[in-house]
Amino acid sequence: MRFNFKIIGSLLGILLIINGVFMLLCLPVSLFYQEGGVFPLIMSGLTSAGVGGCLWWSTRKRLNDTLSKRDGYLIVTMGWLGMSLAGTLPYIFSGAIPNFTNAFFETISGFTTTGASILNDIESVPKGILFWRSLTQWMGGMGIIVLAVAILPLLGIGGMQLFVAEAPGLRPDKLQPRITETAKRLWIIYVGLTLAEFVLLLLGGMSVYDAMNHSLTTMATGGFSTKQNSIAHYNNPYIHYVIILFMFIAGTNFTLTYFGFKGNFRKIWANEEFRVYLIGVVSMGIIVSLGLFASSDGDFEESFRNAMFQVVSIITTTGFISADFTTWTPALTILFFMFMFIGASAGSTAGGVKIVRHLLLLKNGVLELKRQIHPAAIIPVRLNEKAVSQEITSNVLAFIMIYLTIFVISTCVMGLIGVDFETALGSVATSLGNIGPGLGSVGPAHTFAHIPTTGKWFLSFLMLLGRLELFTVLILITPYFWMRN
Amino acid sequence: MRFNFKIIGSLLGILLIINGVFMLLCLPVSLFYQEGGVFPLIMSGLTSAGVGGCLWWSTRKRLNDTLSKRDGYLIVTMGWLGMSLAGTLPYIFSGAIPNFTNAFFETISGFTTTGASILNDIESVPKGILFWRSLTQWMGGMGIIVLAVAILPLLGIGGMQLFVAEAPGLRPDKLQPRITETAKRLWIIYVGLTLAEFVLLLLGGMSVYDAMNHSLTTMATGGFSTKQNSIAHYNNPYIHYVIILFMFIAGTNFTLTYFGFKGNFRKIWANEEFRVYLIGVVSMGIIVSLGLFASSDGDFEESFRNAMFQVVSIITTTGFISADFTTWTPALTILFFMFMFIGASAGSTAGGVKIVRHLLLLKNGVLELKRQIHPAAIIPVRLNEKAVSQEITSNVLAFIMIYLTIFVISTCVMGLIGVDFETALGSVATSLGNIGPGLGSVGPAHTFAHIPTTGKWFLSFLMLLGRLELFTVLILITPYFWMRN
C-alpha cells in the first residue's frame, strides 16, 4: 500500500476528538447565559468525539509509524476538511445556521481563520454557539502554528523551510517528536498572549464574554466578532489600540515572539521580514491616516486610529472592522484592495502571500536588472545576510505566480457565478488571503449571505487553498502525487 | 568616456530624419483632401528632419563604432522618447491638438502602438493629420520588429533571446549587419501584409483613405481608427472578419510568418507559443460568443463575430472596437480585463506580457509541484522540446512579477490622481499592455481626454515602459547602469 491510511485515520481521529472536546468546552457558556444551545453542543461534541474515537480506536496501533511526505500532504488537507465538516454540527443542531452550505462556509471560514461570515444578525445567535464560532478560529490558529513552524518546512512548501528554519528546538529530521516540542513552546506563547489580551480588554470595560471571544479571534488573526458591527461597536479608543497591538503581534513570526519573551530583542530586529513588516505597517498607516484625515471631517486622532486599525487588520489578515474603508476615497479603496495581497509574517497565524515572499521577489527583481548588466556574474538573493538558493527563489516566485493565477481565474469564476466586478475581485482576494471583509457587496458593511450557493462552496475552497499555502492542496490534484515511483 | 554619446546622437539623428520624411509623406493626403494641415506638415517635417540632420552631421563620423549593451539601452529609450516628442509637431502646428500634454499622449500612444486616444471628435481632424497619426503606429510597429527580433535578444531582455532565437539569419554576435539583414526581411513581410490588408479592405467597400489608415494601424497592433466609433462604424461582416484575420497575423511571431511565406507550415505548427495562441484565441472567442449570445438578443453570427473581434483585438493588444465589451455582462468584463494581461506572441508587434512568458510560467508552476514530490530530481522547464535554463526561467518570472508590481503600484497612483477604481485598473492595464481601450470611464465607448494632466503623463510613461519590455527602461534608473565597472 502506498499511503499509510492507518496513521492518517488515526491522526484524523485524534483531531475529531479534540474538536468534540472543544465543543463541550462551550457548554459552560451556554449554561451560564441560558440562551439555548446546550443540547446541540452536547450532541455535536459527542458525535465528533465519538466518530473520532472510533477512527482512532480502529487504527491506533499504527500511530508510531513514521510518516512519508505524501502522507503529510494528505493529512493536512483532510484534517482541515474533516474539522470543518464536524464543526458545522453545533450550527446545524442548534438551528443557528440551518443551511448546510452556510454552516460549512462559516465553519471553514473559522478554521482557516478567515472571518468571512454569512450571519446577518450576530447578536441573535446563542452565546454558546458564538463561542464555538470564536473557538474554531482559535483552534485554526493553533493548527497554523504547527503547520507553519513544523510541518510545511519539512514538506518544503513555498520556501517555508527558509523562513522559519530558526524555530527554537526545531531540526528538520523526524516529524513526530519535534512537532510536539516546538508546538508546545509556541502554544504557550499563543495561550499567554490570548490571556494577556483578554485581561487588557477587560480593563477597557469590555464584558468578560466579549473580551474572551475577541481575544480568541485576534490571536488567530481570524476576525470573527460577537457584534454585527465588529469593533466599530466599541466607541472606545483604548480598546481599538489594544486590538491593533495584538493583531500586530499575531501577525509576527511566532518564533520571533518567542525570542522576545526570552528578552532577545536584537534577534528580532535582525530579522529582515520583521523590519519590513513594522516599518511597512507604520508608514502605510500614516499614509492612510493622512488620506483619511484630508477627506473626512473627523479629528486627527480618530483618522489615525481608524487608518491604523484597518491597515493592521487587513495586512495581518484579521479582518476586524473599526470603520468601513470602502467608503473612504476611491484611492484608499484601491490601496486596501492591494493590501489584501500582502499578508503578514511567515510563521504567524496570518494568511496571504506573506511579507518575506514579497521581499524575496522584490530583491530578485532588482537583482535581475543587475544581472542584465553583468550577465556573467552569479548574483544570489540575500535574506537575513544569507544567500538564498536558486531553488528556493524559484519556488517562492512560483508560489506567488500560482497565487495570482488562482486569483485571476477565480475572479472570472465568481463573475460567471453572477456577482459584480468589485465583489468578484474582493471576495476572491479576501478568501484566498484569509482576511474576512472584501469589496463591493461583500465589503466591511456587508456579509457573504447573499452569495449564490456555488459561490459559497467555491470561496470555501479558496479559503482552504490559501490557508494551506496552495501547494499542500494543489499537489493532491497533480498526477505526480498519485504516481507510484 | 563611458557612453558613446556620439553614436547615440548619430542614431537619434537618423531616427528624427526618418520621422521628418514620414511627416512629409502625409503631404499628398493633405493636398488631396484640402482640409488644411499642409503647412503644419511641411513645418513639422522640416523641423524634425532638420534637427535630426544637424545631430547626425555633427556625430556621423562615429557611426561605424561598435555599440556596447549600455549604449543599446540608452538608444532604445531615447529613440522612442525622441520620436514621440518630435511626433507632436503636426498636432500642435495644425492646432488639431493644441495642448502639449494631449499631443504627447496621442503621439506616444501612436509610437508605442497603444492606440489610447484623447480625441473626442476624430472625424473633424484634417485627414492629413490623421494619416500622420496612423503612420506613427505603423512606424512604431516597424521599430518593435527590429527591437524584438534583433536588439532585445542581444540585450538579454526578459527571455527574448530564447523566444526569437530562431529568427532567420540572426546570430547573436555583432549588432550592426545582422539588424539590417533581419529587419529588411521582416519589413518586407510587414509591408506586404499591410498592402494585402489594404486591398482586401478596399474590396469590402472601404474608402481608399480609410483602408490605408486601418491597414497601417492593424499591422502595428495599434488600433487608431479614422472613425470615432472605430470598426463599429462599419456595418459589414466582411470588413470585420478581414480585420480579425490581420490582427491575428500581426500578433504572430514575425519570424514564423516568414516561415509561412516560405511555405514551411510544419515549422509554424511546431512552435508551442503559436499553438497556444491559436487554440487559446479560438476557444476564448467561442466561450465569449456563447456568453454574449446567451445574454443578448442578437443572432449567433453577430455574437460570434463581435466576440471573436474583441477577443483578438484585446489579446493582440490592437484595441480596435467592434462593440463595447464593458456593456456585455459583468463576467465578460472581468474576462476582458484579464485578457489585457495576456499579450500575443513574442516577436510580433503586440505589447503586453506575451503568451510564451505565461506558458513558461505555467509550466514552471506545474513542475514546481512535481519538484515538491521529488526534491532531489532536477526538472527543467521545456519549451519547443528544448530545456530552458534556470537563468531564463528566473528572468521571465522576474519580468512578470515586475509587470504585476508596476500594475499594482500604478493603479494606486491613478487612484491618488483621482480616477475611480475601475478606471484606474483599466487605464493602467491598457497603457502598460499597449492595448488602447480600458474599463470604466476609459472604456471602449470613451476616450482619455478627461484624465488629469499628471495622469496622462503617467500613463504615457507606462506605455513606454510596457512597449520597451520594462527592463530596457527600468535599467536606466538603477545605480548598476551608471556605475563604472
Side-chain angles (χ1 to χ4, degrees), chain A residues 69 155-156 334 361 368 370 372 374 395 401 404 415 421 480, chain B residues 69 155-156 331 334 361 368 370 372 395 401 404 421 475 480 485:
Chain A
K69 273 178 84 166
L155 297 179
I334 297 174
L361 170 81
E368 198 56 51
K370 188 171 180 181
Q372 296 278 335
H374 305 288
N395 185 300
M401 291 312 312
L404 291 176
F421 192 48
Y480 315 124
Chain B
K69 273 177 84 166
L155 298 180
I334 297 173
L361 169 82
E368 199 56 51
K370 190 172 179 179
Q372 297 277 337
N395 184 300
M401 291 314 310
L404 292 176
F421 191 48
I475 217 162
Y480 315 124
N485 69 325

PDB file of all heavy atoms in Angstrom, chain A residues 69 155-156 334 361 368 370 372 374 395 401 404 415 421 480, chain B residues 69 155-156 331 334 361 368 370 372 395 401 404 421 475 480 485:
ATOM      1  N   LYS A  69       6.245  12.047   3.270  1.00  0.00           N
ATOM      2  CA  LYS A  69       5.806  13.375   2.871  1.00  0.00           C
ATOM      3  C   LYS A  69       4.414  13.319   2.264  1.00  0.00           C
ATOM      4  O   LYS A  69       3.567  14.171   2.522  1.00  0.00           O
ATOM      5  CB  LYS A  69       6.771  13.954   1.827  1.00  0.00           C
ATOM      6  CG  LYS A  69       7.959  14.677   2.439  1.00  0.00           C
ATOM      7  CD  LYS A  69       8.905  15.194   1.384  1.00  0.00           C
ATOM      8  CE  LYS A  69       8.471  16.515   0.830  1.00  0.00           C
ATOM      9  NZ  LYS A  69       9.550  17.171   0.051  1.00  0.00           N
ATOM     10  N   LEU A 155       7.870  19.685   4.523  1.00  0.00           N
ATOM     11  CA  LEU A 155       7.331  19.358   3.206  1.00  0.00           C
ATOM     12  C   LEU A 155       7.952  20.244   2.125  1.00  0.00           C
ATOM     13  O   LEU A 155       7.773  20.001   0.938  1.00  0.00           O
ATOM     14  CB  LEU A 155       5.806  19.523   3.200  1.00  0.00           C
ATOM     15  CG  LEU A 155       5.014  18.602   4.146  1.00  0.00           C
ATOM     16  CD1 LEU A 155       3.523  18.900   4.030  1.00  0.00           C
ATOM     17  CD2 LEU A 155       5.275  17.137   3.833  1.00  0.00           C
ATOM     18  N   GLY A 156       8.677  21.283   2.552  1.00  0.00           N
ATOM     19  CA  GLY A 156       9.336  22.164   1.580  1.00  0.00           C
ATOM     20  C   GLY A 156       8.361  23.021   0.800  1.00  0.00           C
ATOM     21  O   GLY A 156       8.539  23.268  -0.376  1.00  0.00           O
ATOM     22  N   ILE A 334      -8.653  51.297  -3.391  1.00  0.00           N
ATOM     23  CA  ILE A 334      -7.670  50.598  -4.223  1.00  0.00           C
ATOM     24  C   ILE A 334      -6.511  50.122  -3.359  1.00  0.00           C
ATOM     25  O   ILE A 334      -6.067  48.982  -3.447  1.00  0.00           O
ATOM     26  CB  ILE A 334      -7.156  51.524  -5.348  1.00  0.00           C
ATOM     27  CG1 ILE A 334      -8.305  51.902  -6.273  1.00  0.00           C
ATOM     28  CG2 ILE A 334      -6.031  50.856  -6.130  1.00  0.00           C
ATOM     29  CD1 ILE A 334      -7.933  52.919  -7.334  1.00  0.00           C
ATOM     30  N   LEU A 361      10.963  38.425  -3.658  1.00  0.00           N
ATOM     31  CA  LEU A 361      10.554  38.753  -5.021  1.00  0.00           C
ATOM     32  C   LEU A 361      11.097  40.098  -5.461  1.00  0.00           C
ATOM     33  O   LEU A 361      11.622  40.255  -6.571  1.00  0.00           O
ATOM     34  CB  LEU A 361       9.039  38.829  -4.992  1.00  0.00           C
ATOM     35  CG  LEU A 361       8.383  39.369  -6.216  1.00  0.00           C
ATOM     36  CD1 LEU A 361       8.304  38.258  -7.224  1.00  0.00           C
ATOM     37  CD2 LEU A 361       7.010  39.869  -5.868  1.00  0.00           C
ATOM     38  N   GLU A 368      17.664  41.189 -10.892  1.00  0.00           N
ATOM     39  CA  GLU A 368      17.550  40.782 -12.293  1.00  0.00           C
ATOM     40  C   GLU A 368      18.050  41.909 -13.199  1.00  0.00           C
ATOM     41  O   GLU A 368      18.691  41.667 -14.215  1.00  0.00           O
ATOM     42  CB  GLU A 368      16.103  40.418 -12.609  1.00  0.00           C
ATOM     43  CG  GLU A 368      15.901  39.581 -13.855  1.00  0.00           C
ATOM     44  CD  GLU A 368      16.702  38.292 -13.832  1.00  0.00           C
ATOM     45  OE1 GLU A 368      16.639  37.543 -12.836  1.00  0.00           O
ATOM     46  OE2 GLU A 368      17.421  38.045 -14.813  1.00  0.00           O
ATOM     47  N   LYS A 370      20.330  44.013 -12.322  1.00  0.00           N
ATOM     48  CA  LYS A 370      21.790  43.991 -12.185  1.00  0.00           C
ATOM     49  C   LYS A 370      22.379  42.869 -13.044  1.00  0.00           C
ATOM     50  O   LYS A 370      23.426  43.033 -13.667  1.00  0.00           O
ATOM     51  CB  LYS A 370      22.152  43.778 -10.711  1.00  0.00           C
ATOM     52  CG  LYS A 370      23.625  43.937 -10.414  1.00  0.00           C
ATOM     53  CD  LYS A 370      23.877  43.929  -8.906  1.00  0.00           C
ATOM     54  CE  LYS A 370      25.347  44.094  -8.592  1.00  0.00           C
ATOM     55  NZ  LYS A 370      25.603  44.066  -7.142  1.00  0.00           N
ATOM     56  N   GLN A 372      21.224  41.813 -15.769  1.00  0.00           N
ATOM     57  CA  GLN A 372      21.186  42.227 -17.174  1.00  0.00           C
ATOM     58  C   GLN A 372      22.483  42.926 -17.556  1.00  0.00           C
ATOM     59  O   GLN A 372      22.979  42.789 -18.667  1.00  0.00           O
ATOM     60  CB  GLN A 372      20.037  43.217 -17.402  1.00  0.00           C
ATOM     61  CG  GLN A 372      18.664  42.662 -17.181  1.00  0.00           C
ATOM     62  CD  GLN A 372      18.138  41.891 -18.360  1.00  0.00           C
ATOM     63  OE1 GLN A 372      18.555  42.116 -19.481  1.00  0.00           O
ATOM     64  NE2 GLN A 372      17.243  40.965 -18.115  1.00  0.00           N
ATOM     65  N   HIS A 374      25.434  42.690 -15.840  1.00  0.00           N
ATOM     66  CA  HIS A 374      26.589  41.801 -15.634  1.00  0.00           C
ATOM     67  C   HIS A 374      26.163  40.352 -15.844  1.00  0.00           C
ATOM     68  O   HIS A 374      26.000  39.597 -14.889  1.00  0.00           O
ATOM     69  CB  HIS A 374      27.135  41.952 -14.215  1.00  0.00           C
ATOM     70  CG  HIS A 374      27.487  43.352 -13.862  1.00  0.00           C
ATOM     71  ND1 HIS A 374      28.579  44.011 -14.384  1.00  0.00           N
ATOM     72  CD2 HIS A 374      26.886  44.242 -13.040  1.00  0.00           C
ATOM     73  CE1 HIS A 374      28.626  45.240 -13.894  1.00  0.00           C
ATOM     74  NE2 HIS A 374      27.610  45.405 -13.080  1.00  0.00           N
ATOM     75  N   ASN A 395      11.027  28.617  -6.227  1.00  0.00           N
ATOM     76  CA  ASN A 395       9.838  28.101  -5.556  1.00  0.00           C
ATOM     77  C   ASN A 395       8.941  29.242  -5.084  1.00  0.00           C
ATOM     78  O   ASN A 395       7.717  29.207  -5.245  1.00  0.00           O
ATOM     79  CB  ASN A 395      10.292  27.232  -4.375  1.00  0.00           C
ATOM     80  CG  ASN A 395       9.147  26.538  -3.680  1.00  0.00           C
ATOM     81  OD1 ASN A 395       8.254  27.199  -3.180  1.00  0.00           O
ATOM     82  ND2 ASN A 395       9.157  25.217  -3.654  1.00  0.00           N
ATOM     83  N   MET A 401       3.222  33.406  -8.323  1.00  0.00           N
ATOM     84  CA  MET A 401       2.562  33.361  -9.618  1.00  0.00           C
ATOM     85  C   MET A 401       1.330  32.468  -9.570  1.00  0.00           C
ATOM     86  O   MET A 401       0.300  32.793 -10.151  1.00  0.00           O
ATOM     87  CB  MET A 401       3.520  32.847 -10.692  1.00  0.00           C
ATOM     88  CG  MET A 401       4.635  33.798 -11.026  1.00  0.00           C
ATOM     89  SD  MET A 401       4.092  35.515 -11.313  1.00  0.00           S
ATOM     90  CE  MET A 401       2.731  35.264 -12.424  1.00  0.00           C
ATOM     91  N   LEU A 404      -1.429  34.371  -7.859  1.00  0.00           N
ATOM     92  CA  LEU A 404      -2.070  35.371  -8.706  1.00  0.00           C
ATOM     93  C   LEU A 404      -2.891  34.713  -9.808  1.00  0.00           C
ATOM     94  O   LEU A 404      -3.971  35.192 -10.155  1.00  0.00           O
ATOM     95  CB  LEU A 404      -1.024  36.310  -9.297  1.00  0.00           C
ATOM     96  CG  LEU A 404      -0.366  37.219  -8.266  1.00  0.00           C
ATOM     97  CD1 LEU A 404       0.732  38.045  -8.900  1.00  0.00           C
ATOM     98  CD2 LEU A 404      -1.405  38.138  -7.624  1.00  0.00           C
ATOM     99  N   GLY A 415     -17.301  35.880 -11.340  1.00  0.00           N
ATOM    100  CA  GLY A 415     -18.069  36.666 -12.307  1.00  0.00           C
ATOM    101  C   GLY A 415     -19.103  35.795 -13.001  1.00  0.00           C
ATOM    102  O   GLY A 415     -20.263  36.184 -13.158  1.00  0.00           O
ATOM    103  N   PHE A 421     -18.250  43.014 -10.669  1.00  0.00           N
ATOM    104  CA  PHE A 421     -16.801  43.074 -10.826  1.00  0.00           C
ATOM    105  C   PHE A 421     -16.086  43.281  -9.480  1.00  0.00           C
ATOM    106  O   PHE A 421     -15.216  42.494  -9.096  1.00  0.00           O
ATOM    107  CB  PHE A 421     -16.465  44.214 -11.787  1.00  0.00           C
ATOM    108  CG  PHE A 421     -15.046  44.248 -12.272  1.00  0.00           C
ATOM    109  CD1 PHE A 421     -14.440  43.105 -12.761  1.00  0.00           C
ATOM    110  CD2 PHE A 421     -14.332  45.430 -12.261  1.00  0.00           C
ATOM    111  CE1 PHE A 421     -13.132  43.138 -13.233  1.00  0.00           C
ATOM    112  CE2 PHE A 421     -13.020  45.467 -12.726  1.00  0.00           C
ATOM    113  CZ  PHE A 421     -12.429  44.322 -13.202  1.00  0.00           C
ATOM    114  N   TYR A 480       1.507  13.628 -10.383  1.00  0.00           N
ATOM    115  CA  TYR A 480       2.766  13.261  -9.726  1.00  0.00           C
ATOM    116  C   TYR A 480       2.520  12.674  -8.348  1.00  0.00           C
ATOM    117  O   TYR A 480       3.228  11.795  -7.875  1.00  0.00           O
ATOM    118  CB  TYR A 480       3.690  14.465  -9.574  1.00  0.00           C
ATOM    119  CG  TYR A 480       3.776  15.298 -10.814  1.00  0.00           C
ATOM    120  CD1 TYR A 480       3.478  16.651 -10.796  1.00  0.00           C
ATOM    121  CD2 TYR A 480       4.153  14.718 -12.027  1.00  0.00           C
ATOM    122  CE1 TYR A 480       3.547  17.408 -11.946  1.00  0.00           C
ATOM    123  CE2 TYR A 480       4.214  15.473 -13.186  1.00  0.00           C
ATOM    124  CZ  TYR A 480       3.912  16.820 -13.133  1.00  0.00           C
ATOM    125  OH  TYR A 480       3.977  17.555 -14.260  1.00  0.00           O
TER     126      TYR A 480
ATOM    127  N   LYS B  69      26.331  47.240 -24.801  1.00  0.00           N
ATOM    128  CA  LYS B  69      24.975  46.980 -24.345  1.00  0.00           C
ATOM    129  C   LYS B  69      24.376  48.223 -23.685  1.00  0.00           C
ATOM    130  O   LYS B  69      23.212  48.545 -23.885  1.00  0.00           O
ATOM    131  CB  LYS B  69      24.977  45.832 -23.321  1.00  0.00           C
ATOM    132  CG  LYS B  69      24.887  44.463 -23.959  1.00  0.00           C
ATOM    133  CD  LYS B  69      24.961  43.373 -22.923  1.00  0.00           C
ATOM    134  CE  LYS B  69      23.626  43.087 -22.294  1.00  0.00           C
ATOM    135  NZ  LYS B  69      23.630  41.818 -21.544  1.00  0.00           N
ATOM    136  N   LEU B 155      20.367  42.185 -25.919  1.00  0.00           N
ATOM    137  CA  LEU B 155      20.442  42.791 -24.593  1.00  0.00           C
ATOM    138  C   LEU B 155      20.011  41.794 -23.514  1.00  0.00           C
ATOM    139  O   LEU B 155      20.171  42.056 -22.328  1.00  0.00           O
ATOM    140  CB  LEU B 155      19.565  44.040 -24.523  1.00  0.00           C
ATOM    141  CG  LEU B 155      19.944  45.202 -25.465  1.00  0.00           C
ATOM    142  CD1 LEU B 155      18.976  46.361 -25.283  1.00  0.00           C
ATOM    143  CD2 LEU B 155      21.368  45.684 -25.209  1.00  0.00           C
ATOM    144  N   GLY B 156      19.435  40.670 -23.955  1.00  0.00           N
ATOM    145  CA  GLY B 156      19.018  39.644 -22.996  1.00  0.00           C
ATOM    146  C   GLY B 156      17.825  40.051 -22.159  1.00  0.00           C
ATOM    147  O   GLY B 156      17.728  39.754 -20.982  1.00  0.00           O
ATOM    148  N   ALA B 331     -19.417  39.285 -15.968  1.00  0.00           N
ATOM    149  CA  ALA B 331     -18.435  38.204 -16.091  1.00  0.00           C
ATOM    150  C   ALA B 331     -17.539  38.434 -17.291  1.00  0.00           C
ATOM    151  O   ALA B 331     -16.326  38.227 -17.229  1.00  0.00           O
ATOM    152  CB  ALA B 331     -19.159  36.862 -16.223  1.00  0.00           C
ATOM    153  N   ILE B 334     -14.962  41.174 -16.649  1.00  0.00           N
ATOM    154  CA  ILE B 334     -13.844  40.642 -15.879  1.00  0.00           C
ATOM    155  C   ILE B 334     -12.904  39.866 -16.792  1.00  0.00           C
ATOM    156  O   ILE B 334     -11.686  40.033 -16.763  1.00  0.00           O
ATOM    157  CB  ILE B 334     -14.355  39.717 -14.752  1.00  0.00           C
ATOM    158  CG1 ILE B 334     -15.202  40.528 -13.763  1.00  0.00           C
ATOM    159  CG2 ILE B 334     -13.205  39.036 -14.026  1.00  0.00           C
ATOM    160  CD1 ILE B 334     -15.890  39.676 -12.712  1.00  0.00           C
ATOM    161  N   LEU B 361       5.788  30.237 -17.428  1.00  0.00           N
ATOM    162  CA  LEU B 361       5.363  30.410 -16.060  1.00  0.00           C
ATOM    163  C   LEU B 361       4.466  29.275 -15.607  1.00  0.00           C
ATOM    164  O   LEU B 361       4.637  28.717 -14.521  1.00  0.00           O
ATOM    165  CB  LEU B 361       4.578  31.701 -16.030  1.00  0.00           C
ATOM    166  CG  LEU B 361       3.817  32.000 -14.794  1.00  0.00           C
ATOM    167  CD1 LEU B 361       4.780  32.601 -13.815  1.00  0.00           C
ATOM    168  CD2 LEU B 361       2.707  32.954 -15.101  1.00  0.00           C
ATOM    169  N   GLU B 368       6.859  22.879 -10.420  1.00  0.00           N
ATOM    170  CA  GLU B 368       7.226  23.151  -9.028  1.00  0.00           C
ATOM    171  C   GLU B 368       6.524  22.156  -8.111  1.00  0.00           C
ATOM    172  O   GLU B 368       7.097  21.692  -7.114  1.00  0.00           O
ATOM    173  CB  GLU B 368       6.857  24.591  -8.674  1.00  0.00           C
ATOM    174  CG  GLU B 368       7.552  25.152  -7.453  1.00  0.00           C
ATOM    175  CD  GLU B 368       9.066  25.070  -7.545  1.00  0.00           C
ATOM    176  OE1 GLU B 368       9.660  25.499  -8.547  1.00  0.00           O
ATOM    177  OE2 GLU B 368       9.664  24.538  -6.600  1.00  0.00           O
ATOM    178  N   LYS B 370       5.733  19.152  -9.019  1.00  0.00           N
ATOM    179  CA  LYS B 370       6.448  17.896  -9.217  1.00  0.00           C
ATOM    180  C   LYS B 370       7.750  17.893  -8.416  1.00  0.00           C
ATOM    181  O   LYS B 370       8.121  16.887  -7.815  1.00  0.00           O
ATOM    182  CB  LYS B 370       6.748  17.715 -10.709  1.00  0.00           C
ATOM    183  CG  LYS B 370       7.279  16.347 -11.076  1.00  0.00           C
ATOM    184  CD  LYS B 370       7.368  16.169 -12.582  1.00  0.00           C
ATOM    185  CE  LYS B 370       7.928  14.801 -12.949  1.00  0.00           C
ATOM    186  NZ  LYS B 370       7.993  14.622 -14.413  1.00  0.00           N
ATOM    187  N   GLN B 372       8.231  19.364  -5.656  1.00  0.00           N
ATOM    188  CA  GLN B 372       7.905  19.162  -4.243  1.00  0.00           C
ATOM    189  C   GLN B 372       7.936  17.682  -3.887  1.00  0.00           C
ATOM    190  O   GLN B 372       8.338  17.288  -2.802  1.00  0.00           O
ATOM    191  CB  GLN B 372       6.496  19.698  -3.932  1.00  0.00           C
ATOM    192  CG  GLN B 372       6.323  21.172  -4.131  1.00  0.00           C
ATOM    193  CD  GLN B 372       6.788  21.980  -2.950  1.00  0.00           C
ATOM    194  OE1 GLN B 372       6.854  21.476  -1.850  1.00  0.00           O
ATOM    195  NE2 GLN B 372       7.152  23.213  -3.163  1.00  0.00           N
ATOM    196  N   ASN B 395      14.502  34.867 -15.100  1.00  0.00           N
ATOM    197  CA  ASN B 395      14.362  36.181 -15.726  1.00  0.00           C
ATOM    198  C   ASN B 395      12.909  36.413 -16.148  1.00  0.00           C
ATOM    199  O   ASN B 395      12.354  37.496 -15.937  1.00  0.00           O
ATOM    200  CB  ASN B 395      15.295  36.224 -16.949  1.00  0.00           C
ATOM    201  CG  ASN B 395      15.317  37.576 -17.635  1.00  0.00           C
ATOM    202  OD1 ASN B 395      14.287  38.043 -18.101  1.00  0.00           O
ATOM    203  ND2 ASN B 395      16.479  38.194 -17.690  1.00  0.00           N
ATOM    204  N   MET B 401       6.648  39.343 -12.603  1.00  0.00           N
ATOM    205  CA  MET B 401       6.424  39.915 -11.283  1.00  0.00           C
ATOM    206  C   MET B 401       6.591  41.426 -11.301  1.00  0.00           C
ATOM    207  O   MET B 401       5.827  42.151 -10.667  1.00  0.00           O
ATOM    208  CB  MET B 401       7.373  39.306 -10.261  1.00  0.00           C
ATOM    209  CG  MET B 401       7.103  37.854  -9.945  1.00  0.00           C
ATOM    210  SD  MET B 401       5.366  37.471  -9.646  1.00  0.00           S
ATOM    211  CE  MET B 401       4.959  38.751  -8.463  1.00  0.00           C
ATOM    212  N   LEU B 404       3.539  42.936 -12.865  1.00  0.00           N
ATOM    213  CA  LEU B 404       2.382  42.996 -11.967  1.00  0.00           C
ATOM    214  C   LEU B 404       2.600  44.010 -10.851  1.00  0.00           C
ATOM    215  O   LEU B 404       1.669  44.695 -10.441  1.00  0.00           O
ATOM    216  CB  LEU B 404       2.088  41.606 -11.391  1.00  0.00           C
ATOM    217  CG  LEU B 404       1.575  40.613 -12.437  1.00  0.00           C
ATOM    218  CD1 LEU B 404       1.409  39.235 -11.822  1.00  0.00           C
ATOM    219  CD2 LEU B 404       0.260  41.094 -13.032  1.00  0.00           C
ATOM    220  N   PHE B 421     -12.070  53.422  -9.222  1.00  0.00           N
ATOM    221  CA  PHE B 421     -11.405  52.118  -9.124  1.00  0.00           C
ATOM    222  C   PHE B 421     -11.288  51.423 -10.481  1.00  0.00           C
ATOM    223  O   PHE B 421     -10.197  51.047 -10.921  1.00  0.00           O
ATOM    224  CB  PHE B 421     -12.196  51.252  -8.138  1.00  0.00           C
ATOM    225  CG  PHE B 421     -11.522  49.988  -7.717  1.00  0.00           C
ATOM    226  CD1 PHE B 421     -10.203  49.989  -7.297  1.00  0.00           C
ATOM    227  CD2 PHE B 421     -12.216  48.786  -7.726  1.00  0.00           C
ATOM    228  CE1 PHE B 421      -9.585  48.814  -6.898  1.00  0.00           C
ATOM    229  CE2 PHE B 421     -11.608  47.609  -7.329  1.00  0.00           C
ATOM    230  CZ  PHE B 421     -10.288  47.626  -6.914  1.00  0.00           C
ATOM    231  N   ILE B 475      16.115  49.666 -16.294  1.00  0.00           N
ATOM    232  CA  ILE B 475      17.543  49.505 -16.056  1.00  0.00           C
ATOM    233  C   ILE B 475      18.232  50.868 -16.004  1.00  0.00           C
ATOM    234  O   ILE B 475      19.239  51.039 -15.326  1.00  0.00           O
ATOM    235  CB  ILE B 475      18.119  48.585 -17.149  1.00  0.00           C
ATOM    236  CG1 ILE B 475      19.179  47.700 -16.557  1.00  0.00           C
ATOM    237  CG2 ILE B 475      18.623  49.358 -18.338  1.00  0.00           C
ATOM    238  CD1 ILE B 475      19.478  46.505 -17.422  1.00  0.00           C
ATOM    239  N   TYR B 480      23.219  50.332 -10.945  1.00  0.00           N
ATOM    240  CA  TYR B 480      24.128  49.429 -11.664  1.00  0.00           C
ATOM    241  C   TYR B 480      24.458  49.952 -13.050  1.00  0.00           C
ATOM    242  O   TYR B 480      25.536  49.760 -13.575  1.00  0.00           O
ATOM    243  CB  TYR B 480      23.499  48.040 -11.809  1.00  0.00           C
ATOM    244  CG  TYR B 480      22.865  47.540 -10.544  1.00  0.00           C
ATOM    245  CD1 TYR B 480      21.546  47.149 -10.502  1.00  0.00           C
ATOM    246  CD2 TYR B 480      23.612  47.486  -9.362  1.00  0.00           C
ATOM    247  CE1 TYR B 480      20.968  46.702  -9.338  1.00  0.00           C
ATOM    248  CE2 TYR B 480      23.043  47.038  -8.187  1.00  0.00           C
ATOM    249  CZ  TYR B 480      21.716  46.655  -8.181  1.00  0.00           C
ATOM    250  OH  TYR B 480      21.147  46.219  -7.030  1.00  0.00           O
ATOM    251  N   ASN B 485      32.154  50.136 -13.237  1.00  0.00           N
ATOM    252  CA  ASN B 485      32.690  48.812 -13.603  1.00  0.00           C
ATOM    253  C   ASN B 485      31.624  47.891 -14.145  1.00  0.00           C
ATOM    254  O   ASN B 485      30.452  48.028 -13.843  1.00  0.00           O
ATOM    255  CB  ASN B 485      33.370  48.165 -12.400  1.00  0.00           C
ATOM    256  CG  ASN B 485      32.345  47.781 -11.353  1.00  0.00           C
ATOM    257  OD1 ASN B 485      31.363  48.490 -11.187  1.00  0.00           O
ATOM    258  ND2 ASN B 485      32.571  46.705 -10.659  1.00  0.00           N
TER     259      ASN B 485
END
